[in-house]
């Protein structure tokens, strides 16, 4: 079992973020000890890492909550959860494409600065 601070370190988030996720209903699986402090199992860590991944890739909290609710419902929601992941994957790939396009523009600008061609810098 892990404390909230241990989980925060393991998952590279703050304890405040974990408390926020709990308040938003993303951590219904987390238990509490006799003192009322959150306690986390190894299985909880896996789910928290998934939550962080989804959040880091732009999934809204409300959609993450729905996904977690489906997990809590069990195997009968497996296909729905799979569909959610497939759709989110498409969105992440779209984001990657957009980032690559932006990176190409940045690389072009850097290359132009490296050539010291002021006229070209103004055009692009």
């Amino acid at each position: 079992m892990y404390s909230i601070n241990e989980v925060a370190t393991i998952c590279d988030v703050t304890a405040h973020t974990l408390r926020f996720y709990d308040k938003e209903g993303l951590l219904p699986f987390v238990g509490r000890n006799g003192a009322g402090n959150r306690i986390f199992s190894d299985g909880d860590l896996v789910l928290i890492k998934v939550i962080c991944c989804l959040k880091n890739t732009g999934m809204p909290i409300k959609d993450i909550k729905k996904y977690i609710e489906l997990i809590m419902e069990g195997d009968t929601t497996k296909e729905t959860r799979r569909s959610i992941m497939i759709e989110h994957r498409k969105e992440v790939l779209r984001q990657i494409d957009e980032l690559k396009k932006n990176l190409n523009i940045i690389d072009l600008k850097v290359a132009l600065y490296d050539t010291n061609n002021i006229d070209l810098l103004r055009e692009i």
Side-chain angles (χ1 to χ4, degrees):
M1 297 308 255
Y2 303 93
S3 71
I4 195 166
N5 289 325
E6 291 170 324
V7 172
T9 299
I10 293 167
C11 295
D12 196 27
V13 296
T14 65
H16 175 77
T17 296
L18 292 171
R19 287 184 194 97
F20 171 76
Y21 287 170
D22 193 21
K23 182 178 150 243
E24 292 297 313
L26 301 182
L27 308 178
F29 47 84
V30 173
R32 295 195 179 250
N33 64 17
N37 297 320
R38 294 170 187 86
I39 52 172
F40 301 83
S41 68
D42 288 325
D44 296 343
L45 289 179
V46 171
L47 285 173
I48 290 168
K49 287 178 182 179
V50 170
I51 290 167
C52 292
C53 169
L54 296 174
K55 182 70 177 113
N56 291 340
T57 54
M59 185 180 279
I61 293 285
K62 67 177 182 59
D63 294 344
I64 298 171
K65 182 178 179 182
K66 179 63 179 168
Y67 180 74
I68 295 298
E69 288 170 353
L70 290 168
I71 289 173
M72 300 306 290
E73 287 180 33
D75 287 343
T76 60
T77 66
K78 183 175 149 184
E79 281 306 312
T80 304
R81 289 182 277 140
R82 181 179 182 277
S83 295
I84 290 169
M85 284 296 124
I86 288 170
E87 288 306 309
H88 189 63
R89 183 180 189 282
K90 289 177 187 174
E91 174 57 22
V92 170
L93 288 172
R94 188 201 61 74
Q95 291 173 25
I96 290 169
D97 274 351
E98 191 66 29
L99 286 171
K100 284 179 180 178
K101 289 175 190 174
N102 289 323
L103 181 59
N104 285 336
I105 293 169
I106 291 166
D107 287 344
L108 178 59
K109 291 299 279 186
V110 169
L112 290 172
Y113 282 114
D114 289 345
T115 67
N116 287 320
N117 189 332
I118 300 300
D119 292 330
L120 285 176
L121 288 172
R122 289 188 188 122
E123 292 177 24
I124 296 177

